[in-house]
Structures are given as structure tokens and as C-alpha cells.
Amino acid sequence: MRSSLLQQAAFRSFFAGRLVSLLGSSMAPVALAFAVLDSSGSGHDLGVVLAAHMLPLLAFLLVGGAVADRFPRRTVLVTAHLGAAFTQGAVAALLLTGRYSLPLVAALEFLNGALAAFTTPALRGIVPQLVAKSSLRQANSLLGSAGNATKILGPSLSGVLVVTVGSGPAIAFDAFTYLVAAGFLARLFLTDASEALQRNTVSADIRDGWRAFRAIRWVWVGTLSFCLLNLVQTGTWQILGPQLTRQLSGETTWGFVLSVRGVGMLASSLLMYRLMVRHLLRFGQLAGVLGALPLIALGAQVHAPWLIAAAFVAGLGSSVTAVAWDTSLQEHVPAHVLSRVSSYDDLLSYVAIPVGQLCVGPLAEAFGAFRVTAVAGAVSAAAMLIPLASRAVRRLPHAQPDSCAPAADSCSAT
């Protein structure tokens, strides 16, 4: 087995493409928000555009999973990235020429969201083809580090571009990153289409994916825990978090909270490259409990330094959970159903987010924002602990580095 993942040409090309794409994607929300607000002056328009992106992402995830298992994942990813470059480039063109139109921008973002539904399952499925099973944790930690770094750098860079050259060029840069990423991904020479899948219809593939998802106990137990977590945590954090932080200590503190949380996520994903545990999934679930700390701190109305510290610790835990979950899926779910199983996992996890966002406001009005936040934190912690009642979750093994002989090229998936 090679000494470093980044010495492997295929993974190096994939990593470079992913890094470029993530940078553009982290910049796009800020640029798009200011572009729509500047062009229309309407928060309603922004809501329509954001919904137009999210709805097809949820609607087409299962189709995306079936397609990623059915055809070579490299082809799926290159096609999706080229399509995303076109849609974002078209949005940039509308803005740069002063021809903003809500129906056109919403339609383009709808297409962009649909393309993302094909990208996500293919990304999960392609990593095991690039590295040996014993290196999946390191691969996911590197990819997580790249993602977390871009989350810190991207929004700031996007803000600078919006102020200096405008939101249109910022979105054009996002389109360019998709083109560059497609070029890197095109260099991957992998064939993974299943002849059995190609003889089935896409709907049959989706049904087979559901049966595979239900058959793996630890997968559906973990997915349900993430569904509950997103239901109570995401909306509370996004909506009540800034409101209560401003009330307690001002807007500046919220910026520090978000930045420090990002730093914690980056530090943790780097640490996961070296950290070895026998039961990675169990470790990830326990680490996920730390993500509840900022909500509990807000609910307890603690002072700003304690809230910032809680956010840092939460960032540490969230990256561990993400790496542990992705690695466990890639190690233990059969390759020919991995993208479809991942698509069910993503769908059931993501669909809870808008539900929680819609519910948190009325709940805060009825019971008090601080109380709702504290309860959401407690439920978030419980959501990560409950799956540990299942032996399938507690005892799932993690592939050890010595599971492949040092000279066994057959262990490499490249």
C-alpha cells in the first residue's frame, strides 16, 4: 500500500477537482444572495431562488443514486459538473448583462439543484474506487479538511469579490470552478457500471436500493438519528442562534461563533487522518454529542467566551461524525448499491431540515426561544446516543491499516 494517499495519481486528481469545486460552492450562496437582493430588492425573490435549488435536490436524490450505481461514476460526475458550470454561467451572464429575471434565475437554480442530486451519491461511491479500504478514513479526512477549509475561506472571499467587482463575477467564478473540477475528474479512468443494473429500469434500481437500505440495520438506525438531529438542530441553530446571540452579546459574537466552529471542524478533520479507533462508527456517534453544546449553552444564556468555546468543541465533534459515517458506509456497504443506499441516507436526513426550519419559529413564540434552544440541544445529544443501543452500531468494525499486506497491489482500487 502506498505511503501517502496524495501520492496516488487518481486520488490526487480527484482531490484537486473536489477542492476547486468546494471553493466555488462555498462562495456561491453569498454571491447569489447579494445578487438576487441587489437585482430585485426583494427577500421574496431570494426565498424563491433558494427553494428552487433545494426542492429538486431532494426530489432527484434517489434517481441520482440509481444513476451513480448504474453508470460509471466518473461520467456522472463530469456531466453533472459541466451542467453546473453551464447553469451558474448562465446566471452570471444574466446578472452581468443587467437582465435579471426571477423565473430564469429560479429555473437555472432548479437545474443546478437537480444536478447536485446526481453529484452527491456519485461522490460517496467513487472514493472506494480510488483508495484501498484501509485508507478510506484518511481519504475522507483529507476531503473533509478541504471542505472545512473552503467553508472558512469561501464566504469571506465571496464577500470581497461582491464588494470589489460585483456578484455577477463572483458567480462566474463559481461556474469556472465547476469547469476546472470537471477537467480533473475527467482524468479518472474508472469503469463501474453494473451489467445487472443496466438490464433493470431506474425505478427498479431505486426499489432495490430501498431493500438494500432496509437490510443494513446500522445504516437505517444511523440515518434515523441524523434525521432527528437535523429536525431539531439545524433550524434552531440557523434561526434562533443569531437572534439569541445578538440578544446576549451582539452580532460580532455570532461571527466569532461561526468562525471558531469552522476552525474546530478543520482541526478535527485533520486529526482524523492519524487517529485510529477499533469501532469508528461508535466513536463518531459519541463525538456527535458534542454538536449539541452550543445550543445548550445558548439555552443556558452563558457568557460569550463559553459559547465560543462550545462552538469550537462542537466543530471538533461534527467533523469526527462526518468522517466516521462516510468511512463506515464505504467500508461496509457493497459497492454496487453504495450510491443508492447513500441517496436514501441523504434524502431522509435532508428532508427534516426544512421541516425544522418551519417549526422553530412558532415553537419559540409559544414556549420561549431560550427554552426551545435548550431542549433542541438536549434532543440533539440524545439523537446521537440512541443508535448506540443497537449492537449493529456499537460493534461495527473499522478497517485497520494492516488489513492489506504492504506489497499487495490488489488492495488498491485504482
Side-chain angles (χ1 to χ4, degrees):
M1 186 173 65
R2 296 171 177 83
S3 59
S4 171
L5 286 174
L6 291 181
Q7 292 175 352
Q8 299 181 30
F11 183 78
R12 184 168 61 246
S13 181
F14 175 75
F15 180 82
R18 191 69 184 132
L19 177 61
V20 172
S21 176
L22 287 169
L23 177 61
S25 297
S26 67
M27 296 172 60
V30 175
L32 184 63
F34 282 111
V36 173
L37 291 174
D38 289 343
S39 299
S40 67
S42 169
H44 173 265
D45 277 25
L46 180 58
V48 170
V49 169
L50 294 178
H53 182 273
M54 177 58 68
L55 291 176
L57 173 60
L58 296 175
F60 291 104
L61 259 177
L62 300 184
V63 178
V67 168
D69 280 337
R70 187 182 184 92
F71 299 103
R73 293 183 177 110
R74 179 187 72 100
T75 303
V76 175
L77 287 172
V78 170
T79 303
H81 278 73
L82 290 175
F86 168 77
T87 58
Q88 293 299 81
V91 172
L94 289 174
L95 297 173
L96 290 171
T97 58
R99 298 179 179 178
Y100 168 82
S101 165
L102 177 60
L104 282 177
V105 172
L108 289 167
E109 288 304 312
F110 182 94
L111 291 174
N112 192 267
L115 290 165
F118 289 82
T119 303
T120 304
L123 286 171
R124 276 251 184 88
I126 203 172
V127 175
Q129 297 177 252
L130 301 175
V131 299
K133 180 178 287 189
S134 57
S135 297
L136 284 171
R137 174 178 49 80
Q138 292 96 321
N140 285 316
S141 70
L142 287 173
L143 293 169
S145 299
N148 291 328
T150 58
K151 289 176 184 176
I152 297 172
L153 176 63
S156 300
L157 180 58
S158 181
V160 171
L161 286 176
V162 168
V163 171
T164 56
V165 297
S167 50
I171 295 178
F173 179 80
D174 181 37
F176 175 71
T177 63
Y178 278 116
L179 280 178
V180 175
F184 280 113
L185 293 169
R187 297 170 60 186
L188 303 178
F189 296 100
L190 302 170
T191 56
D192 58 339
S194 167
E195 292 183 4
L197 280 180
Q198 290 181 357
R199 290 195 297 266
N200 293 332
T201 63
V202 171
S203 60
D205 295 343
I206 293 174
R207 291 194 297 271
D208 288 343
W210 173 246
R211 285 190 286 268
F213 175 83
R214 290 190 307 167
I216 308 174
R217 182 178 180 83
W218 66 266
V219 172
W220 62 259
V221 169
T223 298
L224 290 178
S225 78
F226 290 127
C227 179
L228 177 58
L229 180 73
N230 287 333
L231 178 67
V232 300
Q233 186 180 90
T234 304
T236 306
W237 180 249
Q238 292 177 342
I239 296 172
L240 297 186
Q243 172 188 329
L244 298 184
T245 302
R246 180 176 60 182
Q247 183 176 334
L248 291 172
S249 53
E251 291 89 344
T252 304
T253 300
W254 181 245
F256 278 117
V257 166
L258 294 181
S259 297
V260 167
R261 186 174 184 271
V263 172
M265 293 174 67
L266 177 59
S268 180
S269 56
L270 291 171
L271 177 65
M272 287 298 291
Y273 188 88
R274 295 290 183 186
L275 185 64
M276 271 301 305
V277 293
R278 185 178 297 274
H279 300 289
L280 183 60
L281 182 60
R282 180 172 68 192
F283 182 67
Q285 293 294 134
L286 290 171
V289 175
L290 300 176
L293 290 179
L295 291 180
I296 294 173
L298 269 178
Q301 304 182 45
V302 301
H303 295 300
W306 289 106
L307 176 60
I308 292 171
F312 176 77
V313 175
L316 293 175
S318 64
S319 277
V320 172
T321 303
V323 172
W325 183 252
D326 285 345
T327 302
S328 298
L329 285 173
Q330 292 160 357
E331 286 180 347
H332 297 283
V333 177
H336 68 281
V337 294
L338 177 54
S339 291
R340 281 172 289 169
V341 169
S342 296
S343 69
Y344 277 103
D345 163 42
D346 289 335
L347 177 61
L348 294 175
S349 299
Y350 294 161
V351 75
I353 294 177
V355 176
Q357 290 170 330
L358 290 172
C359 292
V360 68
L363 287 173
E365 291 180 4
F367 301 102
F370 286 107
R371 182 177 300 174
V372 168
T373 302
V375 171
V379 176
S380 297
M384 300 307 293
L385 290 174
I386 290 172
L388 296 176
S390 169
R391 179 181 174 85
V393 174
R394 293 196 312 273
R395 305 301 298 173
L396 189 75
H398 170 45
Q400 305 297 309
D402 59 356
S403 60
C404 293
D409 289 340
S410 61
C411 290
S412 176
T414 58

